[in-house]
Amino acid sequence: MRKVYRKKYGGDVWHWCENCSGWPKEDYTVRHYIPHNDKGCEECQKLDEEGKCQKKW
Ligand SMILES: [Zn+2]
């Protein structure tokens, strides 16, 4: 399954868990990968590892 990453405009952290407290709901950019110089969200990573990352896609 392909991940979808969201980053809020002006931010530098990409989220892929809609359960994340930082999950952008508006004013965000969507990518299918994290650009080289940007970071993945630590909370999303944690939720993902715990299996709490629910994805609709
Ligand atoms: Zn996140």
Side-chain angles (χ1 to χ4, degrees):
M1 202 178 340
R2 213 164 173 202
K3 276 185 177 139
V4 175
Y5 298 93
R6 288 187 186 184
K7 181 173 75 79
K8 195 130 175 121
Y9 291 153
D12 62 352
V13 177
W14 292 84
H15 303 268
W16 64 95
C17 268
E18 57 186 80
N19 291 329
C20 177
S21 59
W23 181 248
K25 292 189 174 69
E26 54 187 11
D27 300 329
Y28 58 83
T29 310
V30 175
R31 292 271 179 93
H32 288 287
Y33 59 92
I34 297 176
H36 240 23
N37 295 324
D38 288 357
K39 290 171 286 194
C41 173
E42 287 180 12
E43 186 175 340
C44 286
Q45 181 68 47
K46 192 163 172 286
L47 290 168
D48 206 0
E49 286 169 1
E50 292 172 352
K52 293 175 183 167
C53 193
Q54 301 201 340
K55 303 178 205 77
K56 288 170 185 163
W57 36 78

